[in-house]
């Protein structure tokens, strides 16, 4: 009795030497074709990887350029304006970045930006209110009150709503201290 195998076999009878040589050459040819196709595939993969690396390098250069341009548009305190003057560009950039950090709950960084805005425009009530709000958020009530008072007393070009907001904050903070 013969056992059946679960695998199929291909059997090619090769009896004479010429047929064996041709069969061997055919197998060799198939092997070379397969290896050649594989080599082409490897070369194509290498080329694709190289293109992707070049794209990544280009994107990294773009990121570095954007970062450098972003940092150039902002000058921190100390390089601002002449005494009594106001550098609107620095103040605007500092207030925007401070607002972003404040909204994100990063009050320490927000305070730094807002202080830069005050340095750039010392007579701006809005900049003082921003510093005061941040001190209040940090739990430093004394510093908050001092900056709210400065904003409430400011007689600069932006006295309007910021001074009123400072006065309202001072009243609210005084009311919260009452028993």
């Amino acid at each position: 009795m013969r056992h059946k195998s679960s695998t199929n076999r291909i059997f090619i009878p090769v009896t004479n030497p010429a047929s064996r040589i041709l069969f061997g050459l055919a197998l060799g040819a198939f092997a070379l074709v397969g290896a050649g196709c594989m080599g082409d595939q490897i070369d194509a993969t290498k080329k694709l990887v190289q293109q992707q690396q070049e794209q990544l390098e280009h994107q990294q250069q773009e990121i570095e350029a954007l970062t450098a341009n972003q940092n150039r548009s902002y000058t921190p305190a100390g390089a601002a304006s002449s005494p009594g003057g106001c550098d609107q560009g620095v103040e605007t950039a500092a207030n925007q970045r401070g607002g972003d950090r404040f909204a994100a709950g990063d009050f320490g960084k927000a305070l730094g930006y807002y202080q830069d805005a005050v340095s750039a425009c010392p007579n701006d009530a809005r900049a003082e209110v921003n510093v005061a709000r941040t001190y209040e958020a940090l739990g430093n009530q004394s510093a908050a009150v001092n900056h709210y008072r400065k904003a409430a007393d400011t007689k600069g070009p932006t006295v309007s709503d910021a001074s009123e907001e400072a006065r309202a904050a001072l009243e609210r903070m005084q009311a919260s201290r009452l028993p």
Side-chain angles (χ1 to χ4, degrees):
M1 179 165 191
R2 205 172 197 204
H3 290 82
K4 286 192 172 185
S5 173
S6 62
T7 60
N8 293 330
R9 293 185 190 172
I10 298 175
F11 180 73
I12 301 173
V14 181
T15 56
N16 66 26
S19 296
R20 286 184 181 175
I21 292 172
L22 284 175
F23 182 70
L25 287 174
L27 281 177
F30 283 127
L32 286 175
V33 168
C37 291
M38 198 64 146
D40 291 344
Q41 193 174 21
I42 290 171
D43 289 343
T45 302
K46 285 181 180 178
K47 187 175 181 179
L48 182 62
V49 168
Q50 183 180 5
Q51 288 174 344
Q52 290 174 343
Q53 285 176 335
E54 290 170 359
Q55 287 176 343
L56 285 173
E57 289 171 6
H58 179 70
Q59 289 175 342
Q60 185 63 35
Q61 290 171 351
E62 287 178 349
I63 290 170
E64 290 170 0
L66 288 171
T67 303
N69 286 338
Q70 183 181 15
N71 290 338
R72 272 188 244 149
S73 68
Y74 177 73
T75 307
S81 60
S82 61
C86 180
D87 187 335
Q88 288 288 317
V90 171
E91 180 193 30
T92 300
N95 277 327
Q96 180 180 9
R97 290 186 178 151
D100 291 344
R101 297 313 328 141
F102 191 94
D106 189 355
F107 303 122
K109 285 191 179 180
L111 180 61
Y113 284 121
Y114 286 145
Q115 288 171 330
D116 288 348
V118 169
S119 295
C121 293
N123 295 321
D124 189 335
R126 172 57 51 204
E128 288 291 345
V129 166
N130 289 339
V131 170
R133 281 182 335 135
T134 307
Y135 273 124
E136 190 173 0
L138 288 168
N140 189 338
Q141 303 302 318
S142 175
V145 166
N146 289 338
H147 285 278
Y148 279 134
R149 282 186 183 142
K150 281 179 87 174
D153 295 339
T154 299
K155 304 283 189 264
T158 58
V159 171
S160 61
D161 63 330
S163 294
E164 292 300 318
E165 185 179 335
R167 287 185 192 97
L170 285 169
E171 287 178 21
R172 175 179 46 78
M173 291 179 81
Q174 291 300 323
S176 68
R177 291 183 183 174
L178 297 174

